[in-house]
Amino acid sequence: MSKDLLTTLEKLRPSDTVSAELWPENVQDAARTRIMATENNIGATKAPRRRVGAIVLVAAICAAVVVGCAAATGMMPKAFTDMYSGWQTMPGTNGGIDPSTAERVGSIPGPDGTLFSVFVAHGANGWRCVAPIFESAEDLDQRAPSDFSHLGDSCFPAADPDMYPEEASPFALGGGAGIMVAGPHEATYDAGAGGAVRAELHTADGQIYPTILAEDRFYGWIPLSLTSPRPTLVGYAADGTVVGTR
């Protein structure tokens, strides 16, 4: 037997007589007509293929990568909702406040390359809960982080500013100020906004730290070493003019 492949193929090719018997001319013409009709109808709508396998695969990936899929599906990381689960049983809130509805209302640079962020969730009858945290800048594209530093939280109802004397009102600029030690080197604070829409904390050595406005209060942080002498909160109007200091 010849070892030349071309010679072997030529011997295996059917004769013209066999070809004519197996594939007559009229059958060839019909096949060519069908092929041409298909090519001319390329834009025709095709039945969609089922994508069950793809859906199952995406679900498996989401199960393995909780944080990434949390943003895609609108879910909050369990670590966040667990931390603030107490909001749901807060007395007087008429059913509690769901931590999974919290939204990041602002972020400013934090210590050691982190971010200081404030989350707010609203409930019935004007109730709201506020939670400042330290988080990684990489989590900004997520609904909330799963790895963060808890800096306390507070829940309070809608209040009437007229129920407090002006000199003691927590709604005045700097009113109801509270400072909390947040770590070995940091302190956080919150204070009333008054009529200001933006505020800065000016330390005794001339440093300036920004704040976040949330629910009529300013939230921020400063190095613990700069809390004494007491810093000054400077409030600004929308046009940049100073509306007060505290």
Side-chain angles (χ1 to χ4, degrees):
M1 182 175 180
S2 173
K3 294 184 179 180
D4 183 70
L5 294 179
L6 181 59
T7 301
T8 302
L9 288 173
E10 288 178 346
K11 290 182 177 181
L12 291 174
R13 186 174 63 185
S15 64
D16 293 341
T17 303
V18 174
S19 297
E21 292 177 355
L22 296 179
W23 198 13
E25 191 68 29
N26 63 324
V27 176
Q28 295 182 39
D29 291 340
R32 281 192 290 269
T33 300
R34 287 196 303 271
I35 293 172
M36 293 300 295
T38 301
E39 290 179 348
N40 292 332
N41 197 29
I42 291 177
T45 302
K46 297 182 180 180
R49 292 183 297 175
R50 299 183 65 186
R51 302 184 62 84
V52 175
I55 294 173
V56 172
L57 177 60
V58 171
I61 294 174
C62 286
V65 190
V66 176
V67 175
C69 291
T73 60
M75 296 172 59
M76 295 287 274
K78 187 174 184 296
F80 188 92
T81 55
D82 284 353
M83 174 62 71
Y84 303 107
S85 60
W87 295 355
Q88 296 176 304
T89 56
M90 185 67 61
T93 57
N94 296 318
I97 298 175
D98 185 356
S100 69
T101 64
E103 295 182 350
R104 184 189 286 104
V105 297
S107 297
I108 56 177
D112 303 321
T114 64
L115 290 177
F116 175 84
S117 300
V118 175
F119 284 79
V120 177
H122 293 92
N125 300 329
W127 274 87
R128 60 267 205 200
C129 292
V130 181
I133 65 170
F134 286 137
E135 64 174 329
S136 169
E138 297 176 353
D139 289 325
L140 270 183
D141 59 346
Q142 311 297 334
R143 279 282 310 280
S146 57
D147 184 14
F148 58 94
S149 296
H150 173 236
L151 303 176
D153 58 286
S154 59
C155 296
F156 43 92
D160 181 4
D162 296 331
M163 68 184 296
Y164 299 95
E166 184 175 354
E167 63 276 8
S169 174
F171 300 98
L173 179 66
I179 296 179
M180 185 187 84
V181 176
H185 306 293
E186 300 85 30
T188 62
Y189 68 91
D190 66 283
V197 298
R198 182 176 66 86
E200 297 170 338
L201 199 67
H202 293 229
T203 63
D205 65 352
Q207 297 188 54
I208 299 176
Y209 288 83
T211 65
I212 297 171
L213 178 61
E215 301 301 318
D216 300 319
R217 298 188 69 76
F218 289 115
Y219 293 81
W221 78 279
I222 58 171
L224 188 60
S225 61
L226 299 180
T227 57
S228 181
R230 187 175 68 85
T232 300
L233 185 69
V234 181
Y236 299 89
D239 61 2
T241 58
V242 175
V243 297
T245 60
R246 186 75 175 264

